[in-house]
Amino acid sequence: MSTADATPLIVHLIHRLDVGGLENGLVNLINHLPPDRYRHAIVCLEGSSDFRLRIQRPGIEIISINKHEGKDWGHYLRLFHTLKRLRPQLIHTRNLAGMEAQLLAAAAGVRLRVHGEHGRDIHDLHGTKRRYRLLRRLLKPLIGHFIAVSRDLENWLVDTIGALPQRVTHICNGVDSLQFHPRLGPPDAIGPQGFIAERSFVIGSVGRMAAVKDHMTLVHAFLMLLAHGGGPSPERLRLVIIGDGPCRRACLDVLGAAGAASLAWLPGARDDIAPLMRGMTVFVQPSLAEGASNTVLEAMASGLPVIATDVGGNPELVQPGWTGTLVPPRDPGQLADAIRDYDRIPGLAAQHGIRARRRVLQEFSLAAMANAYLAVYDGLTRQPPIKG
């Protein structure tokens, strides 16, 4: 057996390897774990996109099970045979979509099994849906360790699902504070030519444009600011939403119907998120549910004040009155008020942004995240700790 083959293999099972916070966290983790400790393979229930090119570590096998829409009973057999072929020492599933694989992994002889909770979706915002809770409780005995990206999810796993506290570890996402940094000079010009005006006030957001992210509330808050004033003038006010998804068309239609299309830029998915963030004045995250948002951390690392909804893990990242503002979900009026404050109070945006950047450097580094995952993996595989 070669040295490479003797290195323990971890299979990371996810729904699809595409643009998203969970997927970004997985790529960051693989890129920052010590390369000689574990081998990695990614099994995608559906498939992958060019997002896989962000993996910097060579030799990562990416397998697509090609699950069909709805109930595809055949995908269970394909997944079982894939696990039998790979023979991993450990499987790490993520979120409800991957949890059923814990049963197949046990049947395939995968002895060590980890499950991560990264946030709830639109179908079960508060984790209370009976059949989903029942599924989690039934599969719980098969899982050796849980990882929760927020305290909210950690408490829910223990109090609602019944996981043993000693088998649950809270590991927050990390952020690349070298790639995401404050602008060093004048604001970057973003959007099409002529989109940015003199002293523009740019409201920015980044994320999948799915219902759970609720960008429509941000669009309505933007239109309220244009209509009612009291904040940035229409000549200065701009809206930027980076990301693609089923709600993008509806947002564009609402902006167009209001005559505000020229003041907004919704370009779809982009690979240049870091420089685009440096062109923003404030960052808004209007989600209905969240784990520990990567984009919020990236905005904080970029020196931006963050306005986020008071849901899930957001209160663990955004400190109201210190690094940003928390608002109720689905409330465009309060969201508009929070945005308006950053224009009418001189220096507030810069002050909150500086504190946000400082907090990222102190608490949310990629190295800290990778070391925390490594400790969980080592504890299960009984790998000796790294010396030095």
Side-chain angles (χ1 to χ4, degrees):
M1 180 183 292
S2 69
T3 303
D5 290 339
T7 305
L9 172 66
I10 299 175
V11 162
H12 302 270
L13 186 135
I14 61 174
H15 181 68
R16 177 176 173 80
L17 185 58
D18 205 346
V19 177
L22 182 156
E23 297 79 7
N24 190 53
L26 171 58
V27 169
N28 282 336
L29 176 63
I30 290 175
N31 286 342
H32 287 84
L33 283 173
D36 58 337
R37 300 290 287 178
Y38 296 97
R39 292 177 295 133
H40 301 273
I42 300 175
V43 175
C44 310
L45 293 179
E46 286 196 353
S48 62
S49 70
D50 287 346
F51 192 79
R52 66 186 183 276
L53 300 176
R54 299 190 185 192
I55 299 173
Q56 299 167 3
R57 181 170 166 179
I60 305 296
E61 186 176 2
I62 300 174
I63 304 116
S64 296
I65 301 300
N66 297 316
K67 180 182 182 295
H68 305 308
E69 282 288 327
K71 276 295 179 185
D72 174 11
W73 299 104
H75 98 275
Y76 293 118
L77 187 60
R78 296 192 296 274
L79 178 56
F80 176 79
H81 286 310
T82 297
L83 294 175
K84 289 290 284 186
R85 175 180 69 82
L86 293 173
R87 299 172 61 195
Q89 279 77 7
L90 187 150
I91 186 169
H92 184 162
T93 61
R94 289 163 170 86
N95 281 359
L96 184 66
M99 200 172 190
E100 290 178 322
Q102 291 283 338
L103 182 59
L104 294 172
V110 183
R111 187 173 58 87
L112 304 175
R113 298 179 293 272
V114 174
H115 181 71
E117 289 289 348
H118 291 249
R120 309 180 190 101
D121 64 21
I122 193 68
H123 302 296
D124 191 22
L125 290 179
H126 305 292
T128 56
K129 189 166 281 192
R130 187 170 180 272
R131 64 190 176 106
Y132 293 159
R133 282 192 304 182
L134 180 60
L135 176 62
R136 285 184 166 99
R137 286 170 176 169
L138 288 173
L139 294 174
K140 178 186 61 179
L142 299 175
I143 298 169
H145 207 87
F146 290 91
I147 293 173
V149 299
S150 69
R151 293 291 182 195
D152 171 66
L153 289 169
E154 179 187 22
N155 293 335
W156 171 72
L157 283 169
V158 173
D159 299 338
T160 302
I161 306 304
L164 296 175
Q166 62 268 32
R167 290 193 174 186
V168 183
T169 299
H170 167 226
I171 304 176
C172 192
N173 294 326
V175 63
D176 186 342
S177 56
L178 296 179
Q179 179 185 8
F180 291 90
H181 62 79
R183 60 176 178 248
L184 303 176
D188 291 9
I190 59 177
Q193 187 172 5
F195 176 68
I196 295 298
E198 186 178 357
R199 296 177 58 246
S200 287
F201 186 99
V202 181
I203 305 163
S205 189
V206 177
R208 284 183 303 111
M209 296 196 71
V212 71
K213 301 299 182 181
D214 195 24
H215 289 103
M216 188 61 78
T217 288
L218 173 56
V219 168
H220 285 302
F222 176 69
L223 295 177
M224 291 175 71
L225 287 168
L226 289 174
H228 303 305
S233 65
E235 292 76 22
R236 296 175 54 224
L237 195 60
R238 299 291 184 271
L239 175 66
V240 173
I241 304 177
I242 309 298
D244 208 351
C247 298
R248 178 169 171 263
R249 184 71 260 166
C251 289
L252 287 168
D253 289 344
V254 169
L255 288 163
S262 64
L263 303 180
W265 185 49
L266 283 68
R270 299 276 298 214
D271 291 325
D272 53 343
I273 300 300
L276 289 175
M277 278 192 171
R278 288 193 284 274
M280 298 173 184
T281 309
V282 298
F283 184 87
V284 177
Q285 205 261 41
S287 292
L288 302 178
E290 276 297 337
S293 171
N294 278 282
T295 54
V296 163
L297 288 171
E298 289 166 355
M300 291 169 64
S302 301
L304 294 176
V306 174
I307 304 169
T309 46
D310 191 3
V311 299
N314 286 345
E316 300 167 33
L317 305 182
V318 179
Q319 297 169 303
W322 189 254
T323 66
T325 308
L326 293 174
V327 296
R330 290 193 174 111
D331 192 330
Q334 289 206 46
L335 179 54
D337 287 342
I339 294 170
R340 193 179 285 114
D341 283 345
Y342 283 108
D343 180 67
R344 69 179 185 82
I345 303 174
L348 184 64
Q351 187 180 64
H352 283 186
I354 290 169
R355 293 169 181 164
R357 167 77 177 177
R358 186 182 304 139
R359 186 163 188 238
V360 162
L361 295 177
Q362 292 172 346
E363 302 180 38
F364 300 108
S365 71
L366 285 174
M369 178 191 75
N371 287 337
Y373 276 96
L374 191 65
V376 171
Y377 297 153
D378 286 351
L380 292 170
T381 61
R382 297 294 184 262
Q383 288 279 86
I386 297 175
K387 295 180 179 180

